[in-house]
Each structure stands twice: as structure tokens, then as C-alpha cells.
Amino acid sequence: MTVSTPPLTGHPEAPLRNPSPEQAGRQSGQRRGRRGRRRSPGRTRRNTALVLAVAGAAVLLAAGVFGYRFVSQNVLGPQAVAEDYLAALASGDQAAAHALLPETGALVPQDPAVYESAGARITGFEILGQEISAGSAVVQALVDRSGERSTVELHLVEAGSQALVFSAWKLEPSAARTVRVEVPAGTGQIRINGTALALPPGEDSAEVLLLPGSYLVEGPLERFFSYGAGKTVLVDPGMAGGPNPVRLRAAANAELAAEVQAQAEAYLAQCLARPEAAPSACPNAAYSGYGPERVRDVQWVLERAPEYRITGTPESGLTVYAAGGKARAQYQEDTSGAGRWESRSDLVNISFSSGVEVAGETLGLDFRP
């Protein structure tokens, strides 16, 4: 089979045809014109760098705003303060927790045993979120207490600045609570969870700051007074208001009654031991109508001991009364004045009283009529 090739047709720019000098010049000019309209590589690189620089600046600015917001709200913000406070509570660090609370004029327990022995403490937590508005913030947290979980809110306020440009945040007082403890004037201390807390001298009440938990508030351990079984105070960060006041009232205890009676009996024994019909500053006096020069050989015998009763309170004053006693006086008396001595026997009532002054472990009593 034979394949025929079609003849080549003519074309102005066909390479098989030699151009004339005029044509060659025009073609070269056209090519140079087309190459001259292309952009130079340097200008293209400069434009690209400018676009990238603008885009980079925008990215850095956005990153800076985002970073500032993140640090101010999370790293140094109210949520971080609330987290530090809850962590201190969960770890039992009473001092660290108090350091995050605002200053207060209340008494602040310093002994770590007060919080270590508290019941219903926060043992774990989870931050749920925060809301910040106009210088105040609320942080919500899920806390573990006594095997149960509950949601609490911690309120914070803006308090100056830190690190030059970031806001500082402080917990509001509601993160803890103060309880008013009322005591008899002059009471030196109270006990919280068994630990003594000194009170201001001469005061009859005190405000005590307590972290979230359960506390037993009791009167002091004293020799002559008791304050009852104490009161349980529950502090909850989510509670409305504060705990009810605790009123501790002192009362004479059995040891005071025994010591008063012992001193009264010693006083009466000394009076009965005196060989006088009517010894001075004593409750025993025979019925003799003559002077001591006409009475001799006096002997006193207690036939029935008096009963002792203590009345009043430490605030109003205490008084001991001895009543119902009987003592017999046996003696000789010169009734005529001529030296004729006759034996006598008189049964007399015994009663006396005294105020009771307590100074520490010392009682002040004065039974003299």
C-alpha cells in the first residue's frame, strides 16, 4: 500500500522560507516588544514580601490579643485565684487558704489543728467556669464534701494590678465565714475543735473567721466553771449569710461546789474550836446573857452540818449560802456573879454566807458576818 504525503503549504513565518532583511527586522522587534512587557523578578518578590509581612503582622496582633486575654482571665485571673483557694482547702493548708482571703478584723485561728480536725471539709474540686463583668467575677466549681458533690460559687473583685498590665483579683469575704461567739466578760479563751483560741481581754464577744467545714465551739477548760457541751458551727461557701451566733454561758461546776463547801467547813470548824461562847467573826454564839468573864470551859459540838447552796451566775455574781446547821455549846456560867458555876448546854442555829470570787484556780471567800 502506498501512503502519499500532502504538499507543504506556504506560511509567512515558516522556517523553510528565508525571510528578507526587512522581514527579519520586523520579527526581531516584535519579539523584543513582547519580552519587554513581562514583570521583573525583583518587583514580584517585593510585592510578595509585603503581602506576607502584612499577613504576619495581623497574625501576631491577633495572637497578642488572644494571649493577653488568656493570661488575664485564666493564668492570672479570678479562676486561678479560686483554684488556688480550693486547692489549699482540699490539701488542708489552713495558712495558704487564709492568705488568699481579704483582710479582716475577726480573730483568725493560727493553729493548723483547727482546720485539720474540721468535719465536712472540701476534699476535691473541679472548676466549671467563670463569668467576669465590670470588675467582679463569679467562679463556679464542683466540690467534694463528705462523700457528696455540690456546686458552689466563689465571688471575686478586681483589686489593683499585677505584672504591670494584668488585673489582680481577690476573693470576697463570702469564701469563708465569721461566727460571733459570746462569752462571759473576762473569759480568756474559747476552744475550736479542741484547740484553744485566745480572746481579747475584757471583751464579752468575738468574731472568729472559719474556713468551709464543721467546727465544735466550746468554752475554755476551767477548774470551777463549765460551759456546756458546745455548739457545732457549719460553714458552707454557698450558704446565705453567716452561721448563727454561739452563746457560751458559764456555770458553777461540781468542783467549785466541792471547794466552796470544803472552805466553808474549814471556817466553821475553826470557829467551833474556839473556847468562847460567842467567838468574833463566827456564826456560833451561845445564849449567855453575861460577859465572857462569867463563862468558862466552853466546848462546841456540831450536831448537824449546814447545807450549802450556790446561787447566781459568773456574770451577775455568785453567792454561797450555808443554812440549817445546828451546833451545841456546853459551858459553865457564873449566873450570880458570886463564883457559883453552873453547867449550861445551848443548841444554836448555824447559818452564814459569802460571795464567791474566782481568779483562775483560786477562790475568794469571806464567811465572816
Side-chain angles (χ1 to χ4, degrees):
M1 183 176 70
T2 302
V3 178
S4 60
T5 302
L8 296 173
T9 58
H11 192 278
E13 297 183 0
L16 298 179
R17 181 179 176 180
N18 294 327
S20 65
E22 293 80 2
Q23 290 174 332
R26 286 195 300 271
Q27 291 173 3
S28 176
Q30 289 172 355
R31 285 192 295 270
R32 287 195 302 270
R34 284 195 295 269
R35 285 196 299 268
R37 287 195 295 272
R38 294 176 183 172
R39 293 185 177 181
S40 65
R43 182 177 179 184
T44 300
R45 283 195 296 270
R46 285 193 299 272
N47 291 341
T48 302
L50 179 60
V51 172
L52 291 175
V54 172
V59 171
L60 291 175
L61 180 61
V65 172
F66 175 78
Y68 172 82
R69 182 177 302 169
F70 178 80
V71 171
S72 64
Q73 293 187 3
N74 296 280
V75 179
L76 300 176
Q79 178 173 312
V81 176
E83 186 172 357
D84 289 344
Y85 179 64
L86 293 173
L89 295 178
S91 64
D93 194 338
Q94 176 177 269
H98 280 309
L100 293 168
L101 294 172
E103 294 183 2
T104 176
L107 295 178
V108 179
Q110 301 297 328
D111 194 322
V114 172
Y115 185 62
E116 288 174 358
S117 55
R121 283 172 35 186
I122 292 176
T123 55
F125 68 94
E126 177 186 350
I127 300 295
L128 300 178
Q130 65 179 356
E131 295 181 4
I132 303 174
S133 176
S136 63
V138 178
V139 177
Q140 289 187 334
L142 191 64
V143 300
D144 300 322
R145 300 181 69 185
S146 302
E148 298 182 356
R149 308 198 83 187
S150 59
T151 302
V152 300
E153 291 185 347
L154 295 177
H155 296 260
L156 301 94
V157 292
E158 195 172 351
S161 62
Q162 56 182 330
L164 299 179
V165 296
F166 298 102
S167 297
W169 293 89
K170 196 74 173 178
L171 288 164
E172 288 192 346
S174 58
R177 290 293 191 277
T178 58
V179 58
R180 181 180 179 86
V181 182
E182 300 177 0
V183 295
T187 303
Q189 59 181 223
I190 58 174
R191 289 179 298 147
I192 302 178
N193 289 344
T195 300
L197 177 66
L199 300 179
E203 299 293 329
D204 60 2
S205 66
E207 298 285 340
V208 181
L209 182 67
L210 297 176
L211 299 173
S214 177
Y215 302 86
L216 178 62
V217 181
E218 302 172 282
L221 291 175
E222 295 183 354
R223 180 182 177 187
F224 298 121
F225 295 134
S226 61
Y227 293 79
K231 303 292 184 181
T232 299
V233 176
L234 179 63
V235 176
D236 189 329
M239 68 193 305
N244 293 327
V246 174
R247 296 177 176 87
L248 299 176
R249 294 291 178 258
N253 60 20
E255 187 167 357
L256 183 139
E259 180 65 19
V260 166
Q261 182 170 336
Q263 293 194 27
E265 290 174 347
Y267 160 75
L268 181 57
Q270 291 176 357
C271 287
L272 295 178
R274 294 168 63 177
E276 304 173 40
S280 62
C282 287
N284 50 315
Y287 299 132
S288 173
Y290 304 100
E293 67 279 358
R294 295 171 63 175
V295 176
R296 69 182 184 182
D297 299 336
V298 179
Q299 292 184 340
W300 285 97
V301 177
L302 183 64
E303 294 197 353
R304 185 171 70 190
E307 295 182 355
Y308 299 94
R309 181 169 58 94
I310 298 174
T311 63
T313 66
E315 294 95 332
S316 63
L318 295 171
T319 303
V320 55
Y321 293 95
K326 296 288 186 179
R328 184 174 297 277
Q330 294 178 334
Y331 57 95
Q332 288 185 337
E333 182 178 32
D334 182 2
T335 57
S336 65
R340 293 194 300 269
W341 298 92
E342 299 179 12
S343 297
R344 300 293 188 196
S345 177
D346 292 338
L347 185 65
V348 300
N349 295 323
I350 299 295
S351 62
F352 54 94
S353 64
S354 172
V356 181
E357 300 292 336
V358 180
E361 296 191 355
T362 302
L363 291 183
L365 300 168
D366 186 358
F367 297 108
R368 295 173 299 178

